[in-house]
Amino acid sequence: MKFLIPLTIFAAFATTVAATDFEPTVNLVVKYNHGLKSELYNRSAQVAEARAANMLSDPEVEGELLFPQGGGKNRWSVGLTQGFDWPGAYRARRRAAAALAEFNSAEYDEMLHEARYETRCALIEIISTGKEAAILRDISSSMDELLARYLLAWEKGETTILDVNKLRVEAARAKAALNAAEAEEQRLITETFIAVPEAERPAADSFTEYPLWTLEPYEEYLHEAMTCSHAKIIAAQGKVAEANASVAAAGRYPSFSLGYRHAFEDGTHFNGFAVGIGLPFYSRRQTSLASKAGLLAAENTARQLEYELEAELKADYIAAESLAAQMRDMGPAVENADNLRLLRRALDGGELSLLDYLREVNFFREALIEYNTLRRSYLLRIASLSRH
């Protein structure tokens, strides 16, 4: 996973501490992901069941007691029988259980990567919402201060009630937008860290800056994806299908049972043994057809997964390149340009009317939020490219 060093802030204790990247926080969230733990236990149970199915069947004890109708001594017998399959069937099922374990391990690794990816996306969303709230907080504070100044001027007869009312409306709008952004930020933080114990949660203001991830060459993402857990799933699916086909092939051979018998009849004890053979005449053909179909399905699924993975990567890469170009075009006009402070200076210097000032503030507020959305979308695409 190609993540360059970001300037994210992470709180390891009650205070906010700078961190080198997202990974400590990602590890913390994934550590308390109970859905992942449940999935791990379920898959372990599946493998244990497959291995248990490869054990000898339990021995069977039989008893018989017969009463003669015309009188005389009763007849009785007891027996112990052990059944077992063709020896090759045990080897085939053992390989099938091992293939299932490999497949489940690969799938769990993929789920783990997906959980880490989702956490990174959640952190990026938190940062994005926090930055939007910071923009709106500055504007709201400026509007409140400006409204107080205009109220004082109105009381002195230096401005009109219309100007005061305009500012009241804009101040109310700015405060409402700020409250909505702060509520959304809190919602995202709560959802992301809901399972993390209170004592281990980062501080609410821990995430202030985006990570400095950059777009790597496409071939690197493709190579990484084709050699990751996703690729292991594709390989493991083929092994499972082959192993199941071997189990089906072994099922074509007969099964056996051996038993010991002891009987008593007419005052005489008898000792002996019994042999049984199971002949899979009826199920053999359909089982063979099912195993061949499973192999073909696994082969086609592997190809389809590869095509889908490559298409997904290509789409993410094209989108990331487009977003990067848009940021290069817009960045110089809004990033660190200090437009809002310059507008306020122009208003205070009498170079702008109040109406022009409010219109320009709204314009640059929308531009700042739009640029922030571009940065968020760009980083989400890079996170998706490196999710495997």
Side-chain angles (χ1 to χ4, degrees):
M1 297 179 186
K2 295 175 172 55
F3 291 107
L4 299 185
I5 298 177
L7 299 178
T8 305
I9 304 300
F10 169 71
F13 304 101
T15 57
T16 303
V17 181
T20 57
D21 57 16
F22 276 167
E23 297 317 295
T25 309
V26 172
N27 292 339
L28 178 65
V29 175
V30 172
K31 174 184 175 182
Y32 291 101
N33 189 322
H34 297 290
L36 275 178
K37 293 180 181 179
S38 174
E39 192 63 34
L40 179 61
Y41 294 140
N42 286 334
R43 292 178 180 275
S44 297
Q46 289 176 6
V47 175
E49 289 173 359
R51 289 171 176 161
N54 196 34
M55 304 296 291
L56 286 172
S57 59
D58 294 329
E60 188 174 314
V61 178
E62 301 173 2
E64 182 181 60
L65 178 62
L66 300 177
F67 305 95
Q69 292 182 351
K73 294 182 178 180
N74 296 336
R75 187 178 72 179
W76 59 268
S77 66
V78 294
L80 178 65
T81 303
Q82 175 65 60
F84 56 92
D85 295 324
W86 185 265
Y90 294 99
R91 290 193 298 271
R93 286 198 290 262
R94 186 167 58 249
R95 287 195 296 269
L100 178 62
E102 182 179 341
F103 174 73
N104 279 354
S105 176
E107 273 211 325
Y108 180 76
D109 284 346
E110 180 73 0
M111 293 176 65
L112 188 61
H113 285 307
E114 189 68 15
R116 299 179 70 83
Y117 159 70
E118 290 175 356
T119 302
R120 292 188 186 99
C121 289
L123 296 179
I124 291 171
E125 294 285 359
I126 290 171
I127 292 172
S128 174
T129 309
K131 283 189 168 295
E132 184 174 330
I135 295 169
L136 296 172
R137 191 174 296 111
D138 287 344
I139 293 175
S140 180
S141 176
S142 176
M143 289 297 173
D144 287 344
E145 188 272 331
L146 195 58
L147 175 59
R149 201 181 78 180
Y150 267 68
L151 279 171
L152 184 60
W154 177 67
E155 291 173 358
K156 295 179 180 179
E158 298 173 357
T159 190
T160 68
I161 191 62
L162 291 176
D163 285 339
V164 172
N165 287 339
K166 290 175 188 175
L167 282 170
R168 278 179 173 151
V169 170
E170 291 299 327
R173 286 175 176 171
K175 187 170 295 183
L178 172 61
N179 290 339
E182 289 178 338
E184 177 64 11
E185 181 184 18
Q186 188 56 49
R187 182 189 69 80
L188 291 170
I189 291 173
T190 301
E191 285 186 357
T192 303
F193 298 100
I194 188 66
V196 179
E198 191 75 30
E200 298 183 50
R201 293 181 188 179
D205 59 348
S206 298
F207 310 101
T208 58
E209 294 298 331
Y210 286 116
L212 300 178
W213 298 338
T214 57
L215 196 61
E216 303 289 338
Y218 172 73
E219 290 71 20
E220 293 191 25
Y221 294 113
L222 180 62
H223 173 74
E224 189 175 61
M226 291 302 178
T227 56
C228 69
S229 58
H230 200 78
K232 292 177 183 177
I233 289 175
I234 294 173
Q237 279 179 329
K239 292 182 181 180
V240 168
E242 291 175 3
N244 288 338
S246 297
V247 171
R252 295 179 297 177
Y253 297 99
S255 59
F256 304 93
S257 64
L258 292 176
Y260 165 76
R261 296 290 185 272
H262 180 85
F264 177 79
E265 185 173 356
D266 294 333
T268 304
H269 291 273
F270 297 87
N271 289 304
F273 64 91
V275 177
I277 300 178
L279 301 176
F281 285 133
Y282 304 111
S283 61
R284 179 172 59 187
R285 176 175 173 78
Q286 295 304 319
T287 302
S288 177
L289 290 173
S291 65
K292 290 178 182 178
L295 277 172
L296 292 173
E299 291 174 2
N300 285 281
T301 299
R303 293 193 190 98
Q304 185 62 28
L305 286 174
E306 288 181 0
Y307 296 149
E308 289 177 358
L309 179 58
E310 188 170 355
E312 179 184 310
L313 286 171
K314 196 64 178 177
D316 280 337
Y317 199 84
I318 291 172
E321 286 184 318
S322 174
L323 290 165
Q326 293 177 63
M327 287 192 299
R328 286 193 298 270
D329 293 340
M330 183 178 286
V334 295
E335 192 175 28
N336 301 320
D338 209 10
N339 294 311
L340 297 178
R341 186 182 63 83
L342 293 175
L343 285 173
R344 182 58 184 271
R345 180 186 294 178
L347 175 67
D348 292 344
E351 300 172 19
L352 280 178
S353 68
L354 178 62
L355 186 60
D356 288 337
Y357 170 76
L358 295 177
R359 183 168 56 248
E360 295 300 320
V361 165
N362 284 329
F363 173 82
F364 281 108
R365 178 188 64 186
E366 292 174 1
L368 283 168
I369 292 175
E370 182 180 350
Y371 184 71
N372 182 54
T373 300
L374 287 174
R375 294 179 69 188
R376 180 195 66 198
S377 299
Y378 174 71
L379 292 172
L380 289 176
R381 291 290 183 175
I382 293 182
S384 181
L385 284 165
S386 302
R387 69 198 297 173
H388 303 290

